[in-house]
Structure formats: structure tokens, C-alpha cells
Amino acid sequence: MRKGIMAVLALYAGFSCIGANAMDLSLNDAVQKIVAESHDLKKADANLKKAQASLDVANSNRWFNIEGSATYMNLINVEKPLDSYNVKLPPEIGGLIPQLAGMGSIEIPDNIFMAGVTITQPIYTFGKIGNAVDSVRSAIKMGEYSKEMVSREVKYAAADMYWTAKMTDEIVKIARKDLNNARDAKRNIAVAGRANRGNLVKIESDIATKEINLSDAEFNRDTAHRMLKILAGIDVDEELNLTDEFPNEFPEMKMKKLTSTPEWQVLDQQVKMYESKASSQRANGYPTLAAVGSYNYTTMDRSFKHMFNENGSQSAYWGLALKVPIFSGGVNRANATVDAMNAEAARQDLDKSKKITAEKYRNAITQYNHLRDNLAGLENARDLAAKAYSFSRDRFAAGQTSAIELADVSAGLYQLDMALLNAKYKILMSAESVKKLGE
């Protein structure tokens, strides 16, 4: 007997040690961890940075462009490739250029080097660049609002995962208490010495069923905890102690008009983006005025090693250039039409989203208040069921009722415990829906 007591104490100490080493995790901590680990948020952040980089690309078209070039050429005498490049002079040229009279041919330097720099600065593009920049700025705002949308979705999912895991903890407690009640009823029969065969069979059946319920509840709890740990970046072998409890009271939520959401802001910026792109495409058919400047250096000689000594020449110019598109096959108008229709489609999506999201928001508040109002009645029903079970248990112990009646009352209490827990979960998630959809 002493050994048995010591074994039980050792086992209890082991369970206490496990509980003491469990990691405490609150709702806020879980949300923060899941947000930090979210791949969707990291992807949204990357898309935002990509849009910001695109703004630098669009703005670069506002500034001057410098192009440099360097060319080396060696002229080849096609008739005699190994000889110098000679140009035969006709006899008549001596009368035109006395200095060349009597010369049968002229040897042309066959090593030629040319280098130059050209600068172009756009002055006026009729909105081509400006609208393109505005389009990218709208895309950046879309990225910011999209990131906020993803953040809200992740936080909602994190809260859902936390309260789901917490609910599985409570379900395990309810299932274990329900099983212990059935076992207590069996012990009462044995103590009273009234081993009615029908009662024993019914209680044994109830115990077997409730053992399965407890096993399923523990499996669901372990699965929910494991998923919570994976999403939060916690070691799956770490024991969790979810510290936030289901509230007993919930404040009333006032109905108010929804005026803005990240989804609406995304669609609004999408409309502006496509409108700016359409204006930029139309501007491709307008002239472009730019300032241009150029510097060029050219040198040539028969010998490469002497060509940079004294045979170089320089030239430079600056001025204004007007580039006028004459015919492009209608591509600019077609592209502008495509973007204009995309803007119209986004505008229709925005109108639809305003109607649907506003209704979802209203329904979430209505559901929250509806469940909140019913909670007091559900709690009262649960308390009455607990009293009914207590009366039935006492009557069963006194031999005044059957195991069938006790099982029915016990099942009613179990169902109300589950209903009350589920109602609190739905109230909390309705509140999270309001936060996700609201401003």
C-alpha cells in the first residue's frame, strides 16, 4: 500500500513538473508571434518595396540622360588588303584643287577613333512622365493598404487559432468531468450494494462512450496546440499554457456606419492607378520637347601609336529637339482604352465591395450583440442543468431513479456546457470580425 501511494505521488509530481515548465502564452503574445512569422505579410512587404522601387524607375525619366560612345575602326583596302588605303584621284581634280595636281592617289589614314557624349534633358512631355509617376504612387498606396489588409487577416486568423486552442482545452476539461461523473455513479452503485444489472450495463456503456469523447477531445487539443505553435514559430515539443480565459461578460457594441476599409482604399487607388496609366498612354501620342547637347572627338592616322598626337578634331553642339510621333498604328489609343476599362472594372469592384463589406460589418455587430444578449439565458440554462444533474445524482445514489435518467440529465449538462463554450467563442470571433472589417 505504501509503495502504491509513493508511486501516485511520484506520478503527480511528474505532471506538476510538466505544468511548471509549460510556456505561458497570452492572446497578444500569440498574435504578435504569428504576425512576425507570417509568410503572407512578408510577401506583402516585398510587394510594397517592389512598388517603391518602381517609383524610382518612373522618376528617373524626369532627369537628364547621358550616353557615351567610343568607336575604333580600321579601314581595309579591298583590292590590296595588306597595303595602305589609297584613293586614286581622277586627272580633272588637279584643275579644281591645285594642291592635288600631279598626285595620282592619296593615302587615307586607316586607323580611326571616335568618342563622344550626348546629354538629353526632357522639358515637357504633355503628362507622359507625370501620369506614369502618379500611377506608380497609386500602386505604392495600394501596396500599403494591401499590407494592412493582410495584417488584419493574419491577426484575425491568429485570434481564431488561439481561441480554438483554448476551446479545445476547455472541451477536454468538460469531457473529463463528464467521464468522472459517470465513474462516480458506478462507484455509488458498488458502495450501496445495489448492483442492478440494467443500471450497470447503462453506466458501463456511458463510461465507454465518454472515454471516447475524452480521447477525441485530447486529440483535437493536441492538434490545435501543434498548429498554434507552428504558426507562432514555437517549438512543437514545447508545452503551452494559454493564459487568457474566456470572458464571463461582454460589453455592448454600438452600431455605426462604416466609412472606410483597407479593401476600399486598395480599390480606390487601383482606379486612380489605371486612370493615370490611361492618361500616360494617351500622352505617348503627343510631342516631346527636350534639350540636347553633344561633344565628339575624332582622330585618325596611318599608325595607331601616333593617332592621338596631333590629328584629333573636336565638335560640340546644344539645342532643343521636338520629337513628334506621326503614326503608330493606333497602339497608344488602344493601350489607353485598355487602362480606362481596367479603371472602370476596378470602380465597379469598389462599388460592390462597399455594399458587401458594409453588410458584413453590420452583420458582425448584430451577431455579436445577439449572442451577447442570449448568453445570460444560456448561462442560466446551464446552471439549472447542473442543479438538475445534482438532484438526479443524489436520487440515483438513494436508489430513487435509474441510470437511464441520470445519463439523460448528464448528457443535457454536457451539451449545455459545450453550447455555452461555443457561444463565447462565437462572440469573441464576431468581435474580431468587426475589428478586421472596420476602420
Side-chain angles (χ1 to χ4, degrees):
M1 180 68 178
R2 179 182 178 85
K3 291 182 179 180
I5 294 175
M6 294 300 294
V8 171
L9 291 176
L11 183 62
Y12 177 78
F15 282 124
S16 299
C17 181
I18 292 175
N21 293 330
M23 175 182 176
D24 289 340
L25 186 66
S26 67
L27 173 62
N28 288 336
D29 290 340
V31 171
Q32 291 177 5
K33 288 178 178 294
I34 292 175
V35 166
E37 293 289 326
S38 172
H39 296 285
D40 291 334
L41 262 178
K42 293 175 182 177
K43 182 178 178 181
D45 187 60
N47 289 333
L48 177 58
K49 291 178 180 178
K50 181 174 68 175
Q52 291 169 341
S54 298
L55 180 60
D56 294 335
V57 174
N59 272 322
S60 66
N61 294 320
R62 296 180 181 273
W63 314 118
F64 57 85
N65 181 44
I66 302 177
E67 291 183 348
S69 63
T71 304
Y72 168 76
M73 295 183 294
N74 181 264
L75 301 179
I76 299 175
N77 188 338
V78 178
E79 296 178 355
K80 298 179 179 180
L82 299 180
D83 292 350
S84 299
Y85 200 101
N86 295 306
V87 177
K88 293 182 179 180
L89 298 175
E92 297 82 3
I93 200 166
L96 299 174
I97 307 177
Q99 293 84 348
L100 300 180
M103 297 179 62
S105 63
I106 297 177
E107 185 175 359
I108 297 178
D110 53 1
N111 291 295
I112 303 174
F113 176 80
M114 295 179 293
V117 177
T118 301
I119 302 177
T120 304
Q121 171 62 58
I123 297 177
Y124 191 69
T125 62
F126 291 89
K128 183 190 306 181
I129 297 176
N131 284 307
V133 171
D134 291 341
S135 173
V136 177
R137 284 175 177 162
S138 295
I140 292 175
K141 292 181 180 179
M142 284 175 58
E144 293 171 350
Y145 295 133
S146 295
K147 184 177 178 181
E148 174 62 21
M149 283 179 59
V150 174
S151 176
R152 292 190 181 193
E153 289 287 350
V154 171
K155 290 178 180 178
Y156 176 86
D160 188 13
M161 181 57 63
Y162 185 90
W163 289 120
T164 298
K166 186 65 179 181
M167 186 164 65
T168 59
D169 287 346
E170 298 299 320
I171 291 175
V172 168
K173 293 178 183 179
I174 294 172
R176 182 175 289 119
K177 181 180 178 181
D178 193 39
L179 175 60
N180 290 337
N181 288 339
R183 288 172 175 171
D184 288 343
K186 181 181 178 181
R187 283 193 292 269
N188 288 336
I189 291 180
V191 171
R194 295 179 292 97
N196 180 283
R197 184 174 179 82
N199 285 336
L200 283 175
V201 170
K202 176 58 179 175
I203 292 177
E204 289 289 353
S205 174
D206 284 347
I207 290 175
T209 301
K210 292 174 181 181
E211 284 176 344
I212 295 174
N213 290 340
L214 177 60
S215 177
D216 289 342
E218 289 174 339
F219 175 80
N220 293 334
R221 177 201 59 192
D222 294 341
T223 301
H225 276 234
R226 183 179 178 85
M227 183 58 68
L228 177 60
K229 287 183 281 188
I230 290 173
L231 293 179
I234 301 172
D235 191 333
V236 293
D237 294 326
E238 184 81 43
E239 293 290 333
L240 288 183
N241 176 33
L242 305 183
T243 58
D244 280 35
E245 301 292 341
F246 282 95
N248 292 321
E249 295 182 358
F250 299 88
E252 184 180 1
M253 191 174 291
K254 300 295 183 180
M255 183 71 68
K256 60 180 181 178
K257 183 178 180 181
L258 187 62
T259 59
S260 180
T261 71
E263 182 180 358
W264 297 355
Q265 291 167 327
V266 167
L267 292 171
D268 181 61
Q269 291 301 322
Q270 190 175 34
V271 172
K272 294 178 180 178
M273 181 189 72
Y274 281 125
E275 288 177 343
S276 296
K277 288 181 68 176
S279 297
S280 181
Q281 290 292 346
R282 294 188 193 98
N284 284 330
Y286 303 150
T288 298
L289 180 64
V292 294
S294 179
Y295 169 82
N296 294 281
Y297 175 81
T298 304
T299 183
M300 60 179 65
D301 197 88
R302 292 188 297 273
S303 172
F304 182 79
K305 66 172 74 171
H306 298 299
M307 66 186 299
F308 292 99
N309 291 340
E310 55 186 14
N311 298 324
S313 63
Q314 303 180 67
S315 63
Y317 69 85
W318 71 272
L320 296 175
L322 184 65
K323 183 179 179 182
V324 181
I326 296 176
F327 182 72
S328 61
V331 64
N332 296 324
R333 180 179 297 177
N335 287 333
T337 301
V338 170
D339 288 324
M341 293 303 100
N342 285 334
E344 179 60 26
R347 193 176 291 108
Q348 295 301 321
D349 289 340
L350 176 58
D351 292 340
K352 179 180 178 181
S353 177
K354 286 183 176 181
K355 296 176 183 177
I356 294 177
T357 305
E359 182 63 19
K360 288 181 178 179
Y361 181 71
R362 190 188 70 82
N363 287 341
I365 295 177
T366 302
Q367 182 183 36
Y368 174 90
N369 289 326
H370 172 72
L371 294 172
R372 173 185 173 276
D373 293 340
N374 288 343
L375 187 62
L378 190 58
E379 288 175 337
N380 184 52
R382 189 268 168 198
D383 291 341
L384 292 174
K387 290 180 180 179
Y389 175 76
S390 178
F391 294 152
S392 181
R393 182 186 57 195
D394 293 342
R395 292 176 61 214
F396 180 78
Q400 298 175 357
T401 188
S402 67
I404 295 177
E405 179 187 334
L406 180 64
D408 290 340
V409 176
S410 176
L413 176 60
Y414 177 82
Q415 291 172 359
L416 283 170
D417 279 332
M418 295 292 288
L420 181 59
L421 180 62
N422 189 53
K424 290 183 177 181
Y425 166 78
K426 287 183 176 180
I427 293 174
L428 289 170
M429 293 317 299
S430 295
E432 292 295 331
S433 295
V434 173
K435 289 167 58 177
K436 181 181 72 170
L437 296 170
E439 300 177 54

